[in-house]
Amino acid sequence: MSNNKYIDILEFSDDPWGRSVEDNPDSNGNDFRKRFLTDAFRQFDTVTVDFSKLRDVPDSAFLGGSFVNLIKEDGFSYDEVLQKLVILPADGFLPQLVRRIIELARDEHKRVAGA
């Protein structure tokens, strides 16, 4: 593996939202994950996704389809995603929000698996 992959969200869309094609056929989280994230997570030590230039914050469905589905669909571990992923702008609330969404999915998985 080599260092860092930088992804500007504007290379994908200036209005990303929704988890799947049923939500948004043009710029949903699953499509972003498949086109930009899956291979990057396989090939690089860190993956930086820059949301700095977006006018609006993507919804939680987009963030889940993008980042939680790296685990659920692509087989990465929660720890691997949390360790490799860097969200920009670093000084905004989005990095904390993405981390929290991943942690909630992890905790739910543990709860269901332990039941």
Side-chain angles (χ1 to χ4, degrees):
M1 275 194 240
S2 60
N3 293 337
N4 181 55
K5 172 68 173 174
Y6 173 85
I7 301 166
D8 185 337
I9 192 68
L10 292 181
E11 293 174 28
F12 174 69
S13 173
D14 64 355
D15 188 26
W17 60 273
R19 181 176 311 274
S20 63
V21 70
E22 292 81 19
D23 298 331
N24 175 0
D26 298 320
S27 58
N28 64 75
N30 280 331
D31 190 34
F32 176 64
R33 174 181 52 83
K34 290 174 186 173
R35 289 178 47 202
F36 289 85
L37 297 177
T38 303
D39 286 341
F41 268 80
R42 287 188 179 118
Q43 297 173 17
F44 295 92
D45 296 326
T46 58
V47 178
T48 300
V49 181
D50 190 350
F51 291 94
S52 299
K53 298 171 191 159
L54 279 183
R55 187 181 59 197
D56 298 315
V57 174
D59 63 356
S60 61
F62 177 85
L63 298 173
S66 298
F67 303 113
V68 174
N69 279 355
L70 284 166
I71 299 143
K72 292 183 175 184
E73 300 290 330
D74 295 330
F76 296 100
S77 72
Y78 289 98
D79 288 339
E80 185 176 12
V81 172
L82 289 170
Q83 289 170 1
K84 285 186 172 193
L85 182 61
V86 176
I87 299 291
L88 298 177
D91 61 348
F93 74 93
L94 200 51
Q96 293 174 345
L97 176 61
V98 170
R99 182 173 195 84
R100 185 68 181 138
I101 287 169
I102 294 168
E103 289 172 344
L104 286 170
R106 179 194 61 204
D107 295 347
E108 175 67 12
H109 174 77
K110 286 180 184 177
R111 188 186 66 73
V112 170

